[in-house]
Amino acid sequence: MPATPTPDLTQLSSSQPLAELLSRQPLVCCPPEQSVQQVACLMASRNISCVLVEQQQRIIGIWTESDSKKLLCRDPDCLDLPISEVMSSPVLTIDHKASAADATELMKRTDIRRLLVVDEQQQAIGILTQTDLIRQQQLEHYLVLRDIASLLNDAPLVLQGHQSLSTAAYTMAESRTDAVLVQLESGEYGIVTERDLVRLIAAKRTRLNLQQVASFPLLTLPAHASLMQAVQTLEHNGYRHLGVTSPSGQLCGLLSYSHLLLNMEHLYIRELRAALEAHNLALRSSAEHLKLAYQVIEASQDAIMITDRHGVIQSVNPAFCQLTGYSVSDALGQTPRLLSSGLHNGHFYQQLWLQLQQQGHWQGEIYNKRKNGEVYPEWLSISAIRSEDGMVSQYAAIFSDMTERKKREEKIHQLAFFDEMTGLANRRLFHDRLALSLANAKRHRHLLAVLFLDLDLFKRINDTLGHQAGDQVLIQVGKRLSQVVRTGESVARLGGDEFTLLMPECSSVQDAEQLARRIVQQFSLPFLIGDQELVLTTSIGIAFYPEDADSADELLRCADVAMYQAKSSGRNHYAFYHHSLGKRHRDALELEQALRRAMAEQRLEVHYQPKICLADGRVDSLEALVRWHDPQRGQVPPDLFIPVAENLGLIQQLGAYVLQHVCAQLAQWPAQTRVAVNISAKELSASSFLPMVRQLLQRYGIAPGQLELEITESCLVPEQAEQTLRLLSALRQMGIRIAIDDFGTGYSSLSYLRHLPIDSIKIDRSFIRALPADVSDCQITSAILAMAKALGLQVVAEGIETPQQLEFLLQAGCDLGQGYLFARPQPAAALKL
């Protein structure tokens, strides 16, 4: 077989002047006072990786895609800061006459991916990036011969979809990478890059999780594909990153343009090996090549050691001396045993030499020892160099210190399995521990307990004292919980203010109960946050294997259900799971899902109940009431599904649904018809409510006076008095009537009521039910009627069901009434107007 021809290094562009490599696109600059978000918008719109900051025609700084990581680590909300506060300064420059090799060395030494190229007058003429260097290097020969796997030493960084964007930025900054992979809920992989961070800063979407922002599907190639194929794929698709798959199809790496530049010096080292193998031909034709290889070896930041075929060290480079502490004279004539740490046994070295002899190369992680005795991890690559007759003549070893990389991997492991704030296990690690403990409990047939803990009214701390105080509380809670568990038990923070405790072995139910009591007792002591003492309580749910469930997910669900039972029992307590709780929980969940479907399919109906003038029996107006007939459940009472809608955050959607149906119906009825619609507190506080009402009136062409809005007394919160007054005044000015519903059950004061622009009040049915037999209710009803008359308000009594109630209300001077005595709520088609 003929020898592989030695590639001609004179074709490489390492000596090419930088001025010839620059793209001709103009520099993009911005003033120092421009905001971070504005600069990000500029970068996103131009599809560029950096913006220069210019003041008085002088470049004072630069903001790059890489800087976006630091920004999001610092504060995801500081998008309005001037760019001058977060830019990198001064800007690293290089003369336009410098070579590509000079630029490559400077980028590697400073760990910077772009340089500002200046002319003789130090005026900026362009930006040089890693990508520019790679595209100009003409490394086709190497790229065709080498596969992707030859560049992959590190496992890819993988985060979970539920983790935050700031966690991704922190991980990229810690590991000095420009992208992370994201495992999505579907099991697929997506990717988040520095360029994505800039785009999200521009769009002010920095509070999202990775599931919401990751790009997918991930573009991939198999590890055996050539580097040339990888580069062509990246350029064809306009990407900078490529997923790498193993022969089994599993994701095993992430390739980027940065890998190519960082590994270029290894290509030159391989050129040295090829030159030695070619022997006399290489000696005659490659003097320049060897000189270049020598320069690369000397300048390399990786340690390089060359031995003879017996393993005697013949030469080392300066990086070897710096990394190991041994001088050139210390190393020459010695063997690599000089560096042995003693941590690897003889079998390890036998396998290393066996592979080296059989395949001609070996690479892997190894622990060696410096001259001062310090043991450190390194990544070592050894290649056998053969002479013209095919015999091994030398060995070349390249190695680098992995200490910092190991620290970064440990930090990434922390991010993946531990809660960053409290240091406790996170949801992922807790599930792993629970699954392992369950398998052990099933094998040995013993009891296992899971405790689900939630802080009572924790949201008040965040709302009143701020999230920083809330974070301090969570940290202290984590410490207290860690103190109460015993050896073998574990604590985790699932997220928010939810914590779990695992008791892998219980001798009895009382063990878990005692732990719950210890936790409640821990919360009896106040929490000191700054100079303020806070008293917190907790609700705890307890579930057992095998009594309650036999899977990890089911156990957690049961403990969660029990925790809510503890909350409903008055908080600051614990509760055991019972199957009846689970049934109620499932019933509630099924009701929620059914309501969502009914609203999505518009299967809710609007019925109307007349309001009757008590003096003459004529119909004064109507009240709109929402009704839900479910195919499986039949008629679902409003007092059951409306609270569900409020809990699910659907009450505004439900209110808009009813209001639209009422307006559409009013357009078909006589113009003098008036309908009252109930409005919730959440609807009233929404900024979109007033514009929506105006739009509906205009769309259906109905007069404002045909619409009456009923608000409950609970809407009249004193803290929002000014906002409520402004909204009601605006509605009243439009001509819409305002009524206070369920009057007498809230906490509004008379002084507050007299300032509100209301037309009528409705006496709650709880006061009407016992009339006229109950003296107390008679007195309250009479007092409400007297007060309303004094304020000039119309009064409606709801829930009238007997002639005796009607007679009392007539005598007391009530204006209007509604109830089953007159008519039940009916569909619009059944009414005769």
Side-chain angles (χ1 to χ4, degrees):
M1 181 181 293
T4 302
T6 303
D8 184 5
L9 279 180
T10 60
Q11 294 179 354
L12 293 173
S13 305
S14 58
S15 60
Q16 192 172 0
L18 297 185
E20 298 179 14
L21 304 184
L22 294 176
S23 61
R24 298 307 171 192
Q25 295 181 349
L27 294 173
V28 178
C29 302
C30 73
E33 63 270 14
Q34 200 155 29
S35 73
V36 171
Q37 193 262 338
Q38 290 172 325
V39 174
C41 287
L42 178 62
M43 289 171 64
S45 64
R46 301 283 187 91
N47 197 28
I48 54 178
S49 63
C50 67
V51 169
L52 295 168
V53 183
E54 184 180 49
Q55 187 175 43
Q56 297 178 351
Q57 299 184 337
R58 185 171 65 89
I59 304 298
I60 63 170
I62 186 172
W63 198 70
T64 69
E65 290 174 337
S66 182
D67 291 327
S68 66
K69 297 183 295 192
K70 305 173 192 175
L71 177 74
L72 293 178
C73 289
R74 170 181 170 180
D75 183 358
D77 294 325
C78 61
L79 307 185
D80 294 323
L81 285 175
I83 199 67
S84 59
E85 291 190 21
V86 295
M87 68 184 182
S88 296
S89 180
V91 183
L92 193 61
T93 62
I94 190 169
D95 190 86
H96 71 293
K97 293 181 180 178
S99 68
D102 295 332
T104 301
E105 194 277 331
L106 182 57
M107 283 185 181
K108 284 181 58 62
R109 178 160 45 83
T110 58
D111 195 23
I112 287 179
R113 303 209 302 264
R114 50 187 64 75
L115 301 170
L116 182 64
V117 183
V118 296
D119 59 18
E120 292 88 347
Q121 289 76 39
Q122 296 298 301
Q123 295 297 310
I125 61 173
I127 290 285
L128 181 75
T129 67
Q130 279 185 345
T131 305
D132 296 329
L133 287 172
I134 292 170
R135 287 174 175 166
Q136 298 295 330
Q137 284 304 314
Q138 302 178 12
L139 294 174
E140 289 82 358
H141 176 83
Y142 299 102
L143 297 176
V144 169
L145 293 180
R146 298 187 68 190
D147 58 20
I148 296 174
S150 64
L151 292 191
L152 297 180
N153 293 331
D154 300 340
L157 301 178
V158 180
L159 297 180
Q160 300 302 307
H162 65 80
Q163 293 182 273
S164 66
L165 191 64
S166 58
T167 298
Y170 180 81
T171 302
M172 283 191 269
E174 279 290 300
S175 56
R176 299 179 183 177
T177 59
D178 56 355
V180 292
L181 296 176
V182 179
Q183 187 166 26
L184 307 174
E185 292 177 355
S186 62
E188 296 181 284
Y189 286 93
I191 188 170
V192 173
T193 68
E194 290 177 349
R195 185 148 297 188
D196 293 327
L197 300 184
V198 172
R199 175 174 54 81
L200 292 166
I201 290 171
K204 291 188 175 182
R205 302 178 67 209
T206 56
R207 283 291 181 182
L208 301 177
N209 61 34
L210 301 182
Q211 177 81 23
Q212 297 169 297
V213 303
S215 300
F216 69 92
L218 180 67
L219 186 66
T220 62
L221 279 180
H224 60 74
S226 71
L227 289 176
M228 174 60 77
Q229 185 180 354
V231 170
Q232 289 173 343
T233 302
L234 288 170
E235 299 224 351
H236 175 72
N237 290 278
Y239 292 168
R240 290 179 57 85
H241 302 85
L242 191 67
V244 184
T245 57
S246 65
S248 63
Q250 298 296 313
L251 197 65
C252 64
L254 184 66
L255 180 73
S256 70
Y257 267 119
S258 300
H259 282 95
L260 296 173
L261 189 65
L262 290 172
N263 285 274
M264 277 172 55
E265 67 186 22
H266 290 277
L267 300 179
Y268 290 116
I269 300 303
R270 297 270 179 121
E271 176 58 28
L272 169 63
R273 173 184 168 188
L276 291 173
E277 288 175 343
H279 197 50
N280 291 332
L281 178 62
L283 291 175
R284 289 194 301 271
S285 63
S286 301
E288 289 294 326
H289 307 167
L290 292 174
K291 180 181 178 181
L292 175 61
Y294 174 77
Q295 291 173 342
V296 171
I297 290 172
E298 289 294 297
S300 173
Q301 293 184 15
D302 286 341
I304 298 174
M305 174 177 63
I306 298 175
T307 74
D308 65 14
R309 64 190 179 91
H310 301 293
V312 177
I313 299 173
Q314 294 179 320
S315 66
V316 295
N317 70 342
F320 172 96
C321 301
Q322 184 178 1
L323 193 155
T324 67
Y326 289 102
S327 65
V328 175
S329 60
D330 290 334
L332 295 183
Q334 300 289 329
T335 68
R337 293 191 188 93
L338 178 72
L339 306 175
S340 176
S341 66
L343 297 181
H344 302 284
N345 57 29
H347 178 73
F348 173 84
Y349 291 107
Q350 288 173 4
Q351 292 299 311
L352 184 156
W353 282 106
L354 181 63
Q355 182 179 330
L356 193 55
Q357 290 167 1
Q358 291 177 346
Q359 302 180 16
H361 61 86
W362 181 92
Q363 68 175 0
E365 185 179 318
I366 190 171
Y367 281 86
N368 272 337
K369 184 167 63 177
R370 308 187 208 273
K371 186 176 182 180
N372 63 7
E374 178 187 351
V375 176
Y376 67 97
E378 69 178 30
W379 184 263
L380 171 64
S381 297
I382 308 174
S383 295
I385 301 173
R386 299 182 184 274
S387 60
E388 198 170 33
D389 60 4
M391 301 297 292
V392 174
S393 60
Q394 290 174 303
Y395 293 99
I398 305 174
F399 55 96
S400 56
D401 191 345
M402 293 178 61
T403 303
E404 290 302 318
R405 173 182 156 188
K406 286 284 187 183
K407 290 180 180 177
R408 291 197 296 270
E409 287 178 351
E410 185 178 348
K411 185 66 177 178
I412 291 167
H413 181 269
Q414 283 287 117
L415 288 171
F417 292 100
F418 291 89
D419 177 54
E420 187 177 359
M421 183 188 302
T422 63
L424 300 176
N426 63 10
R427 181 184 294 272
R428 181 178 178 183
L429 181 55
F430 182 80
H431 269 276
D432 290 347
R433 289 176 176 175
L434 179 55
L436 188 64
S437 298
L438 266 175
N440 187 58
K442 290 176 181 179
R443 185 164 52 250
H444 297 289
R445 298 183 178 181
H446 61 69
L447 201 63
L448 175 149
V450 171
L451 285 73
F452 198 107
L453 181 153
D454 180 272
L455 304 184
D456 298 328
L457 305 176
F458 176 72
K459 186 176 182 296
R460 291 191 307 182
I461 296 175
N462 282 333
D463 292 344
T464 56
L465 301 180
H467 288 278
Q468 187 172 1
D471 291 347
Q472 289 302 311
V473 168
L474 294 174
I475 292 170
Q476 291 190 29
V477 167
K479 290 179 180 178
R480 293 194 186 184
L481 293 177
S482 299
Q483 291 170 358
V484 300
V485 296
R486 297 169 180 173
T487 304
E489 300 170 349
S490 61
V491 187
R493 178 181 175 230
L494 300 190
D497 61 332
E498 293 180 341
F499 296 83
T500 52
L501 293 92
L502 171 63
M503 298 184 71
E505 294 186 30
C506 294
S507 58
S508 66
V509 171
Q510 285 70 33
D511 285 353
E513 187 172 14
Q514 288 174 5
L515 176 57
R517 286 175 178 170
R518 292 201 303 272
I519 294 171
V520 172
Q521 186 177 5
Q522 279 286 332
F523 276 79
S524 65
L525 303 172
F527 290 80
L528 184 61
I529 305 299
D531 57 355
Q532 189 168 2
E533 284 191 351
L534 300 178
V535 177
L536 286 178
T537 59
T538 182
S539 298
I540 306 170
I542 308 172
F544 295 94
Y545 165 84
E547 179 182 345
D548 299 323
D550 61 357
S551 70
D553 289 338
E554 277 297 300
L555 265 176
L556 270 176
R557 185 190 65 80
C558 291
D560 186 23
V561 170
M563 182 272 292
Y564 278 105
Q565 178 64 23
K567 276 192 181 295
S568 64
S569 299
R571 300 188 176 93
N572 196 30
H573 193 55
Y574 58 87
F576 293 101
Y577 175 78
H578 297 291
H579 291 288
S580 59
L581 293 178
K583 183 179 185 305
R584 289 202 297 271
H585 187 74
R586 285 192 297 274
D587 290 347
L589 183 61
E590 290 173 1
L591 183 66
E592 291 176 3
Q593 297 303 319
L595 179 59
R596 285 186 186 276
R597 288 194 300 271
M599 290 188 63
E601 297 168 6
Q602 295 196 353
R603 287 192 281 106
L604 299 182
E605 300 177 356
V606 179
H607 287 194
Y608 299 87
Q609 185 177 33
K611 294 181 185 178
I612 305 298
C613 180
L614 299 186
D616 55 18
R618 63 180 175 82
V619 175
D620 177 81
S621 57
L622 305 169
E623 180 181 4
L625 300 167
V626 64
R627 293 294 182 262
W628 176 24
H629 183 83
D630 184 71
Q632 282 76 39
R633 294 171 178 78
Q635 200 69 31
V636 183
D639 56 1
L640 181 60
F641 72 81
I642 288 179
V644 172
E646 289 176 341
N647 292 334
L648 294 177
L650 298 175
I651 194 65
Q652 289 178 249
Q653 183 181 340
L654 178 60
Y657 176 91
V658 173
L659 198 57
Q660 180 180 352
H661 276 69
V662 167
C663 290
Q665 187 62 55
L666 278 170
Q668 301 176 29
W669 279 340
Q672 68 272 20
T673 308
R674 185 171 72 249
V675 176
V677 181
N678 292 287
I679 303 298
S680 69
K682 288 186 178 178
E683 290 177 88
L684 204 63
S685 61
S687 59
S688 59
F689 180 72
L690 187 60
M692 179 190 69
V693 173
R694 286 198 182 101
Q695 185 182 18
L696 288 174
L697 293 176
Q698 186 176 7
R699 183 197 304 176
Y700 293 104
I702 61 176
Q706 293 181 261
L707 192 62
E708 183 176 30
L709 301 181
E710 293 185 359
I711 61 174
T712 61
E713 263 190 295
S714 59
C715 295
L716 307 178
V717 181
E719 290 80 0
Q720 299 177 354
E722 291 186 10
Q723 178 184 345
T724 304
L725 180 60
R726 284 196 300 270
L727 176 62
L728 296 182
S729 298
L731 292 167
R732 184 72 176 282
Q733 288 172 7
M734 290 169 57
I736 295 173
R737 288 175 56 87
I738 308 295
I740 302 297
D741 194 13
D742 299 337
F743 188 80
T745 61
Y747 45 73
S748 58
S749 66
L750 182 60
S751 60
Y752 181 30
L753 276 178
R754 65 190 180 90
H755 293 295
L756 292 176
I758 57 177
D759 298 283
S760 63
I761 59 175
K762 295 183 70 175
I763 304 176
D764 186 67
R765 67 181 66 246
S766 61
F767 299 115
I768 305 300
R769 188 179 298 116
L771 293 180
D774 190 295
V775 176
S776 177
D777 284 346
C778 289
Q779 291 173 342
I780 292 173
T781 302
S782 299
I784 292 174
L785 285 164
M787 179 205 71
K789 294 299 181 184
L791 293 174
L793 302 176
Q794 191 179 54
V795 181
V796 183
E798 56 182 353
I800 303 175
E801 297 182 356
T802 67
Q804 291 81 10
Q805 294 167 347
L806 173 61
E807 182 63 28
F808 175 85
L809 291 167
L810 273 171
Q811 294 297 326
C814 184
D815 303 306
L816 305 174
Q818 64 183 110
Y820 289 174
L821 180 63
F822 308 114
R824 291 176 176 270
Q826 306 170 57
L831 291 172
K832 297 179 181 179
L833 299 177

